[in-house]
């Protein structure tokens, strides 16, 4: 799944709902940089955390 994450995609962290919606900034060698609306910019190891894609623009 991590290989499918591209810059600009919207995601949520499965264990950090308080971070809110995130936008993928980059995806290099299983390291995904995401800018979350309440969590800031975070580098996530996609081998350990499965980010949840948010489809379209109709999201809570």
């Amino acid at each position: 799944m991590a290989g499918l994450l591209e810059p600009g995609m919207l995601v949520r962290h499965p264990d950090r709902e308080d971070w809110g919606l995130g936008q993928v900034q980059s995806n290099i060698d299983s390291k995904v940089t995401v800018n979350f609306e309440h969590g800031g910019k975070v580098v996530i190891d996609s081998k350990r955390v499965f980010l949840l894609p948010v489809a379209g623009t109709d999201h809570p």
Side-chain angles (χ1 to χ4, degrees), residues 7-53:
M9 289 182 72
L10 300 177
V11 295
R12 291 191 184 276
H13 191 292
D15 301 322
R16 297 302 306 255
E17 288 185 27
D18 57 317
W19 285 356
L21 191 64
Q23 183 179 44
V24 175
Q25 305 294 299
S26 66
N27 183 358
I28 301 169
D29 295 330
S30 77
K31 302 294 188 218
V32 182
T33 303
V34 182
N35 191 14
F36 289 96
E37 55 189 350
H38 304 296
K41 192 174 282 190
V42 180
V43 177
I44 296 176
D45 182 351
S46 63
K47 291 179 181 176
R48 299 183 65 171
V49 177
F50 181 76
L51 294 170
L52 306 171

